[in-house]
Amino acid sequence: GEEGFTVALLERGHDGLEMGKRHIPLSAAFMNGTVEGEDVWIPMTLILGGQERCGFGWNMFVECLAEGRGVSLPAGSIGAARTVVAGVGAYSRVRKQFRVPIAEFGGIQEAMAKSGSDGLITIAGGDVMNAIVDNHEAPMVISSVMKQNCTERGRRIVECGMDIAAGSAICRGDKNYMGNAYMSLPIAITVEGANIMTRSFQIIGQGLTRCHPHMSDLLKALQQPPSEEKEAVQTFVRQFYKIVGHGITNFFGSVTKGIGATFANKTRSKKAYKDGDNLLAFHEKQLLRLSNNFALTADLCFTLGGRLKFEELLMGRLADALGAIYLGYATLHHYHRRRGIEGLEALTEHAMLRLEREAQDALYSASENFPGPLGPVASMVMKMGCFPMGGLTRPYADPGDDLTKEVSRLLTTPSEIRDMFEEGIYSAPDGTTHQMTDLIKALPICMEADAVASALRREKREPTADETNLIAKADALRDALIQVDVFEHATAEEAQPGYVRPALVGTEERFASMDQTVFREAA
């Protein structure tokens, strides 16, 4: 081995080791605290990898980080997506306002559709990331993209769910299945590198050199010893010309693909996504165009030299573009694997349109704000390459209202899409009370009762005995499921005899000193 950071695996009761006090991160079940030791003797047998791996702790840490943060933290967002679609989607159909299920309101439909497409994106990204780890790879950049992008989407998913569930999501208790997720999401966003740092520094700071086909060899040439200077200079010059050629190729590729993709976008029917083959071919073409745009922008970043690491606003925008492109490919891969689920085309289309819009906006914002002494020149080249016909070659827009309503309908009514999101969700045994399970089970009953009530109004007739029982059952379920928990006392301290709230103590003292008993007299 060698000197340096070393990892050892010790038992909790190891001599001299003290498990310190606990932190409480937002009251979540997230183990976090201090570990201290004094005169701790660690035999070589407890060092991971033995004596030969002494000093390799940093390598182990980075490899674990590359795998763990790309799997565990996005998994929380995937869980949030399944919870919102399964639970809140059912709630929006169970809950009525003005005698109409709130799932029929446009604002609710917009929030549900966004939650669903963001949920699909996180699930698709998680599937690909898990496959990469199963292949014994540790992709540092992709894991950073997954951590930052999926936890941010998880936050948006839960916020939409909170907005839809409204009062039932803010009143704590056993019936609240959203509150804990809302409180704990900042933990996932903060740990393993806060998202601000990951987005504005790490993804592009590492990815630009790691992922460029020629930059790594060029940098290695600069690090060669003096004895290999001649060969190093030749390698440097060769790689430099390759980088220039790579940029020129990307420029013309961006122009041609940009015009072609724009034409395909403008002439495409809004219902074309219903053909799965058309869906895949069209969006693959758009992602290829955006990938070319991103590659050209990455080449232009080299005009900044060492200053690039200080241009975090630029790197943040490029991280947004890279994340949207990567997750776009993951979403298409998911569709290819799960093709055949009824309604998956609409949900995939909604997700892809949003991702393409995100990538386009990030690249355009980068072109408008390209920094550095050569910034105006780089900005002009980027706009000519990425958007050769100006606004006409920025064709990506948010999903239309008809598609949003269709996606929301799929997520709030019994469908194969809902079944996909409900995979792996805990279902309580019959006879037990569990809000999420009860909402999911109530959905088809409430849907059937609404259909009967609508038929009765349309046909202007009285219900049969069975129909009356069905409507009554649905009404009873609705009444039970929209209730929130209530408590006699908010805390155990309040339940103690003689307890007076601190604010009231001050008020009583003030009144006592003034010899007054009511506010009117005190005034």
Side-chain angles (χ1 to χ4, degrees):
E2 57 188 55
E3 291 186 3
F5 177 26
T6 301
V7 180
L9 186 62
L10 307 181
E11 296 286 347
R12 184 181 183 89
H14 191 89
D15 290 342
L17 186 67
E18 180 183 349
M19 302 300 290
K21 299 177 181 178
R22 283 283 310 275
H23 300 301
I24 306 178
L26 296 178
S27 300
F30 187 84
M31 300 300 288
N32 198 300
T34 59
V35 179
E36 300 177 355
E38 184 176 350
D39 297 330
V40 180
W41 171 255
I42 302 176
M44 285 292 181
T45 55
L46 297 183
I47 293 176
L48 292 185
Q51 183 175 350
E52 295 180 357
R53 303 304 291 175
C54 284
F56 285 86
W58 180 253
N59 303 67
M60 297 178 185
F61 170 74
V62 170
E63 288 180 5
C64 289
L65 181 65
E67 295 180 2
R69 71 178 170 196
V71 174
S72 59
L73 298 175
S77 298
I78 293 172
R82 295 188 184 279
T83 298
V84 169
V85 171
V88 179
Y91 177 85
S92 68
R93 189 61 63 176
V94 170
R95 178 78 165 87
K96 282 189 173 184
Q97 190 73 33
F98 311 117
R99 299 184 180 180
V100 177
I102 62 173
E104 299 298 327
F105 296 172
I108 302 296
Q109 292 170 343
E110 183 179 25
M112 277 305 309
K114 287 181 178 179
S115 296
S117 57
D118 273 334
L120 175 66
I121 291 166
T122 56
I123 291 171
D127 288 348
V128 173
M129 184 67 203
N130 292 342
I132 292 173
V133 173
D134 284 344
N135 201 36
H136 306 290
E137 299 178 35
M140 179 62 73
V141 177
I142 292 301
S143 71
S144 298
V145 169
M146 282 294 297
K147 188 269 176 181
Q148 182 266 326
N149 213 300
C150 288
T151 54
E152 287 292 342
R153 291 184 192 279
R155 171 155 55 184
R156 296 205 300 252
I157 291 168
V158 171
E159 285 175 350
C160 285
M162 293 287 291
D163 289 346
I164 295 169
S168 66
I170 63 171
C171 294
R172 300 303 302 270
D174 293 338
K175 293 183 178 181
N176 189 336
Y177 53 92
M178 292 291 298
N180 287 338
Y182 183 77
M183 285 187 64
S184 62
L185 265 170
I187 299 174
I189 286 167
T190 300
V191 300
E192 304 282 17
N195 277 3
I196 286 180
M197 183 196 74
T198 305
R199 173 182 176 270
S200 61
F201 181 77
Q202 190 171 353
I203 293 174
I204 299 302
Q206 292 180 337
L208 201 61
T209 53
R210 281 174 172 262
C211 304
H212 196 282
H214 310 299
M215 181 54 63
S216 181
D217 291 336
L218 184 143
L219 293 177
K220 289 178 181 177
L222 293 173
Q223 298 171 349
Q224 295 303 311
S227 59
E228 301 178 15
E229 181 178 351
K230 183 177 180 179
E231 182 180 347
V233 170
Q234 293 175 348
T235 301
F236 179 88
V237 172
R238 183 167 57 251
Q239 296 304 320
F240 176 77
Y241 282 121
K242 285 184 178 180
I243 290 174
V244 174
H246 185 261
I248 294 173
T249 301
N250 283 326
F251 176 83
F252 288 106
S254 288
V255 172
T256 55
K257 289 184 177 68
I259 295 173
T262 298
F263 179 79
N265 193 290
K266 295 294 185 182
T267 57
R268 182 177 184 242
S269 167
K270 291 185 177 181
K271 301 293 184 181
Y273 67 86
K274 295 185 176 182
D275 180 348
D277 292 332
N278 180 288
L279 174 74
L280 287 171
F282 173 78
H283 288 296
E284 284 178 1
K285 187 174 184 178
Q286 306 310 310
L287 291 178
L288 185 60
R289 176 262 176 104
L290 290 167
S291 298
N292 242 127
N293 294 163
F294 179 83
L296 170 62
T297 306
D299 287 331
L300 290 172
C301 285
F302 293 129
T303 62
L304 293 168
R307 181 178 172 177
L308 174 62
K309 62 184 178 182
F310 301 108
E311 299 295 347
E312 297 184 14
L313 294 176
L314 173 65
M315 290 196 289
R317 295 181 181 109
L318 296 186
D320 292 341
L322 177 61
I325 293 169
Y326 167 75
L327 290 171
Y329 278 113
T331 302
L332 291 184
H333 176 68
H334 178 273
Y335 174 76
H336 180 74
R337 288 177 53 249
R338 303 296 300 270
R339 189 172 180 176
I341 296 176
E342 186 178 355
L344 187 56
E345 288 80 10
L347 185 59
T348 302
E349 173 79 358
H350 195 277
M352 292 304 302
L353 292 177
R354 293 182 64 207
L355 288 169
E356 288 158 5
R357 174 67 183 268
E358 288 177 19
Q360 170 189 269
D361 289 353
L363 291 169
Y364 180 67
S365 182
S367 71
E368 286 283 283
N369 298 277
F370 210 97
L374 297 176
V377 176
S379 176
M380 180 182 66
V381 173
M382 185 179 173
K383 288 180 179 179
M384 290 173 59
C386 297
F387 316 111
M389 300 171 66
L392 187 63
T393 40
R394 296 197 302 273
Y396 307 120
D398 291 331
D401 290 351
D402 289 342
L403 181 59
T404 293
K405 292 177 181 179
E406 173 64 12
V407 170
S408 177
R409 183 190 65 79
L410 291 167
L411 300 176
T412 59
T413 59
S415 65
E416 293 183 14
I417 288 292
R418 278 189 57 85
D419 294 341
M420 181 188 76
F421 276 99
E422 289 174 12
E423 293 172 2
I425 286 184
Y426 172 76
S427 180
D430 292 338
T432 59
T433 300
H434 183 257
Q435 187 75 356
M436 174 79 78
T437 304
D438 295 341
L439 281 168
I440 293 173
K441 290 180 178 179
L443 176 61
I445 298 172
C446 292
M447 285 288 299
E448 186 179 359
D450 286 345
V452 168
S454 178
L456 293 176
R457 289 192 298 271
R458 186 173 57 253
E459 298 169 8
K460 298 180 180 180
R461 64 176 178 84
E462 294 296 318
T464 65
D466 289 341
E467 291 172 338
T468 300
N469 291 336
L470 175 62
I471 293 173
K473 182 179 180 181
D475 289 343
L477 285 171
R478 282 191 161 105
D479 184 62
L481 290 172
I482 65 173
Q483 302 301 319
V484 297
D485 295 287
V486 293
F487 303 92
E488 190 71 28
H489 303 286
T491 65
E493 186 180 14
E494 289 185 20
Q496 300 300 317
Y499 174 82
V500 180
R501 295 178 183 175
L504 296 181
V505 171
T507 303
E508 289 182 350
E509 292 175 353
R510 180 169 179 263
F511 281 165
S513 65
M514 299 175 64
D515 195 25
Q516 305 292 339
T517 58
V518 295
F519 281 104
R520 184 176 62 255
E521 295 177 2

